Amino acid sequence: PSNHPTRRATRRQRCPLASDTLSVASPVETTRQHPSKTMKLTVAVSALLIVPAAGYAFVRPSSTRLNSAVAEPETVAHAAPQQLTRFDRLKKTYKGPRKDTTDDGLDFSYADFDDAVQATEYAFNRNDVVKGTVVQYDVSGAIVDIGAKASAFLPTQEAALIQEQGDAIESLVDIGSELDLQIISEEDENGQLLVSVKRIEYRAAWDRVVARQAEDAVFEAEVVNVNRGGAICLVEGLRAFLPGSHLTGMMPTEEIIGIKLPLKFLEVDQENNKLVVSNRRAVVEQQMSDLSRGDIINGMVKALKPYGAFVEVGGMSGLLHISQISYDRIDDLEKVFQPGQQVKCMIIDHDKVNGRIALSTKTLEPEPGDMLKDPEMVFEKAEETAARYHERMEAERKAREEAARDIVLGLGDSLDDLTGDDNDDDSVDGEKADPLADVSDNLDSLLS
């Protein structure tokens, strides 16, 4: 057969080229192919012979048929062209005047400057506190130079701890002013950071509040708002809650907004951001320092109980016990007092720590039972009756002191009679016996 391996090999001819060979079919095999294929083959062979051998490399076909041979160009590796930056493109197309810059006459070179820049570390992390200078106002804040590769931005709401509603950035910071700023964000795509003044002032305000609580001093604060439970006061820029039960002589209404009240701390919890103050505690402390037992005070009956009446005295709650109203027996307290009634009382005891006082009206009675017969007369003569009461109490005190002195002197005379010349009989184991040993307990009980 014509495609036998032996006959097929004898029909091959060598075609010498530059460095490789090409298998060409014999005329006998070519004539057996289609005329169009023969023409194409002839043109292809002619083109390969004309093209210089240096440009192409001929590859031996894997098949024995001539029409399977192909010519492939040699693969040449070329480096990709370097991509120009936007600055390089602008520099290449720039047609304006050029000025050559050198580092002649300087004590450092551009290379030294570049090394210094590379060696400098810029660490701007969240929550870091840095110095910054306000350089420009913006629509919703200010541009601040903090020394980073891009200017930082100070939002209006972060410019100050204490702000009025609608305050503009121009009223909070000044151009050119240097501020302590806290970084509150990471860099955005432009390398810009967000900074805050408010958070630094917030921490400083809490430090001052904690120090005031340790001193337990009275301070003043302004009421800025009210709600159903009480009022909101501004203490060192922080919002503190004033319960309605700790307001003295007023109710938590809008009428007290803008008023400055004396306050003391009830609770300071920085971790939970909780701040509670009291007006009553501050008032009580101030008034307690001026009150003493025996003083006559004015008050108003706030409530009646089976055991007595509660009287408000300058923000303090005083108890007028039923046994201290009159020397006569009282069967119905409502026949003597009514809520809202103004009364005069004498302080017979007080508790400065808890702001409590014990009151009495029977000490103001000219005669026993006058509080039940004519209480208005008792209140009119309260100061006069109180003066006589103090005189009587002073006289009784002096009488008790005289009685105690007489007892002590009488005991001393009795002890003198017990001493004699027989000292040997009074000695015990060589020591003189104490003559007061038997009466010391009795003396202590009398003096107490």
Side-chain angles (χ1 to χ4, degrees):
S2 59
N3 46 345
H4 191 274
T6 305
R7 294 184 180 182
R8 188 168 61 247
T10 57
R11 289 197 295 269
R12 292 176 182 171
Q13 296 181 2
R14 292 288 180 179
C15 180
L17 290 175
S19 61
D20 208 340
T21 59
L22 177 67
S23 299
V24 181
S26 64
V28 178
E29 185 175 357
T30 304
T31 56
R32 294 181 180 179
Q33 297 177 357
H34 195 273
S36 63
K37 295 181 179 181
T38 304
M39 185 177 297
K40 294 178 180 179
L41 181 60
T42 305
V43 173
V45 172
S46 301
L48 291 173
L49 293 175
I50 294 172
V51 176
Y56 294 89
F58 296 97
V59 181
R60 185 180 300 276
S62 60
S63 175
T64 57
R65 296 182 63 87
L66 181 62
N67 57 1
S68 63
V70 292
E72 299 180 358
E74 290 183 350
T75 304
V76 181
H78 296 283
Q82 186 176 3
Q83 191 74 15
L84 297 177
T85 62
R86 181 173 179 270
F87 176 77
D88 293 334
R89 291 197 302 272
L90 293 174
K91 182 178 179 181
K92 186 176 181 181
T93 58
Y94 177 68
K95 303 299 183 181
R98 298 177 180 272
K99 181 180 179 181
D100 295 333
T101 57
T102 62
D103 52 9
D104 296 339
L106 300 176
D107 56 354
F108 64 92
S109 63
Y110 283 101
D112 296 335
F113 179 76
D114 184 65
D115 293 339
V117 171
Q118 296 297 329
T120 303
E121 295 183 0
Y122 296 94
F124 294 97
N125 302 316
R126 185 191 290 267
N127 297 326
D128 286 351
V129 177
V130 297
K131 293 283 187 179
T133 304
V134 181
V135 296
Q136 181 182 344
Y137 292 133
D138 198 63
V139 177
S140 57
I143 304 299
V144 184
D145 181 16
I146 61 173
K149 61 183 179 181
S151 297
F153 184 71
L154 174 63
T156 303
Q157 63 270 21
E158 296 290 337
L161 178 62
I162 303 176
Q163 298 185 26
E164 297 293 337
Q165 188 174 4
D167 279 351
I169 187 65
E170 292 82 2
S171 63
L172 301 176
V173 294
D174 298 327
I175 295 292
S177 60
E178 188 178 25
L179 306 173
D180 289 329
L181 304 163
Q182 180 180 342
I183 299 174
I184 59 175
S185 74
E186 303 293 341
E187 291 184 354
D188 60 8
E189 62 274 7
N190 298 320
Q192 191 175 60
L193 296 166
L194 293 180
V195 293
S196 172
V197 176
K198 177 181 178 180
R199 304 196 185 188
I200 296 178
E201 294 180 348
Y202 178 81
R203 291 196 301 271
W206 269 109
D207 293 340
R208 292 192 296 269
V209 165
V210 172
R212 280 190 174 185
Q213 184 197 24
E215 296 174 359
D216 197 26
V218 178
F219 59 92
E220 287 190 349
E222 182 181 354
V223 179
V224 296
N225 198 1
V226 294
N227 52 33
R228 295 178 60 185
I232 304 298
C233 301
L234 210 59
V235 181
E236 295 290 349
L238 304 176
R239 295 171 66 87
F241 178 63
L242 173 60
S245 59
H246 282 265
L247 270 171
T248 302
M250 61 188 74
M251 299 297 292
T253 61
E254 294 185 356
E255 296 178 355
I256 67 173
I257 295 179
I259 297 178
K260 289 188 175 181
L261 301 175
L263 302 171
K264 292 197 73 174
F265 290 112
L266 286 180
E267 183 177 0
V268 176
D269 188 352
Q270 183 175 1
E271 183 177 353
N272 296 318
N273 194 26
K274 188 176 182 181
L275 195 58
V276 184
V277 294
S278 172
N279 171 241
R280 180 168 60 87
R281 185 180 173 191
V283 172
V284 166
E285 180 173 311
Q286 290 177 343
Q287 292 189 353
M288 277 293 188
S289 61
D290 300 330
L291 295 179
S292 60
R293 292 181 178 88
D295 289 348
I296 304 299
I297 58 173
N298 295 320
M300 182 177 65
V301 178
K302 298 293 292 185
L304 298 178
K305 300 294 181 181
Y307 49 84
F310 284 97
V311 181
E312 183 178 351
V313 182
M316 298 177 292
S317 180
L319 175 61
L320 177 58
H321 197 268
I322 193 171
S323 62
Q324 291 293 330
I325 296 177
S326 177
Y327 282 102
D328 285 355
R329 178 181 176 82
I330 298 176
D331 296 326
D332 189 359
L333 187 59
E334 293 183 356
K335 293 182 179 179
V336 183
F337 295 122
Q338 294 295 326
Q341 180 180 350
Q342 295 292 329
V343 297
K344 282 187 178 181
C345 304
M346 177 184 288
I347 298 176
I348 59 175
D349 198 3
H350 57 76
D351 183 359
K352 292 185 178 182
V353 176
N354 297 316
R356 298 173 181 174
I357 54 178
L359 305 173
S360 174
T361 55
K362 76 177 184 180
T363 55
L364 304 179
E365 290 182 323
E367 297 293 336
D370 284 346
M371 275 297 300
L372 304 181
K373 302 173 184 177
D374 191 357
E376 294 299 328
M377 182 269 296
V378 175
F379 298 149
E380 290 177 1
K381 297 181 178 181
E383 287 76 10
E384 180 183 349
T385 307
R388 291 199 301 269
Y389 174 79
H390 290 315
E391 293 176 357
R392 186 170 67 252
M393 291 297 103
E394 182 68 17
E396 292 180 359
R397 183 184 65 81
K398 291 181 178 180
R400 288 195 298 270
E401 290 179 355
E402 290 292 337
R405 185 178 298 108
D406 293 341
I407 294 174
V408 172
L409 293 177
L411 290 174
D413 295 340
S414 299
L415 292 175
D416 292 339
D417 296 338
L418 293 176
T419 59
D421 296 335
D422 298 335
N423 293 331
D424 295 339
D425 297 338
D426 297 333
S427 60
V428 178
D429 298 332
E431 295 181 0
K432 183 179 290 186
D434 186 5
L436 299 178
D438 297 334
V439 298
S440 60
D441 294 338
N442 294 331
L443 180 62
D444 292 337
S445 61
L446 290 174
L447 293 177
S448 62

